[in-house]
Amino acid sequence: MDPAEFDHAIFGNVMQTSADAIYGARHVGLKAGLKVETPAVTVNRLCGSGIEAIVQGAQRLLLGEANMVLAGGMENMTQAPFVIRGARTGLKLGGGALEDFLFVGLTDTYCGLPMALTAEKLAEQKRITRKDADSLCVAQPAGGGSRVQSVLPDGRKSCRWK
């Protein structure tokens, strides 16, 4: 596959934790050998950022806007900094508590819950059990196809449709 054949690069990223993260998709494309003039976009849809990038790539393909798209997700949350809000404009003596940007950033201030708990709450409200969620892999997709199940090196089961 020739990197010059890619028409677009789309990558998902939840928390821009490194100094150059705002250039995420652009840097991925360039490091993968894509042409300098290849457009790139970084998308953020929280936990769904990587899959959103793939969906957007598929849309470009289906709409004929691209013939080949490089898409995926990237994250390095261990680099999430601690921040001191207000430090740029000055603080009073004793002000400026450290804030864990990872914890605060992944907490929805509208409902006051961390992102993972909003998923648990939704599953509870919709009465979706873990068994129900796991069975999605077993159900046949609307377009048909056959299910391929494999065992990963660490013993976990994986399945996909082809």
Side-chain angles (χ1 to χ4, degrees), residues 15-79:
M15 299 189 84
Q16 297 180 350
T17 57
S18 67
D20 63 349
I22 60 173
Y23 306 103
R26 177 86 175 136
H27 286 180
V28 169
L30 292 173
K31 289 178 182 182
L34 275 59
K35 297 181 292 187
V36 170
E37 58 269 20
T38 304
V41 65
T42 303
V43 298
N44 181 336
R45 191 174 284 263
L46 302 176
C47 285
S49 297
I51 195 70
E52 176 64 23
I54 293 167
V55 167
Q56 288 187 25
Q59 288 173 334
R60 288 188 185 279
L61 295 170
L62 291 169
L63 293 171
E65 297 174 351
N67 292 314
M68 196 173 329
V69 176
L70 181 63
M74 58 189 166
E75 208 65 56
N76 190 343
M77 290 189 180
T78 58
Q79 285 194 127

Side-chain angles (χ1 to χ4, degrees), residues 60-133:
R60 288 188 185 279
L61 295 170
L62 291 169
L63 293 171
E65 297 174 351
N67 292 314
M68 196 173 329
V69 176
L70 181 63
M74 58 189 166
E75 208 65 56
N76 190 343
M77 290 189 180
T78 58
Q79 285 194 127
F82 283 83
V83 298
I84 302 174
R85 304 257 178 218
R88 189 171 311 279
T89 56
L91 298 166
K92 293 181 180 179
L93 182 62
L98 280 178
E99 178 181 284
D100 183 347
F101 185 68
L102 179 61
F103 181 76
V104 172
L106 295 179
T107 298
D108 183 344
T109 57
Y110 187 80
C111 65
L113 290 173
M115 195 181 323
L117 291 182
T118 59
E120 295 293 328
K121 186 174 181 178
L122 180 63
E124 185 179 300
Q125 288 173 349
K126 300 293 182 182
R127 294 189 173 100
I128 300 169
T129 66
R130 176 58 192 250
K131 186 176 178 181
D132 293 336

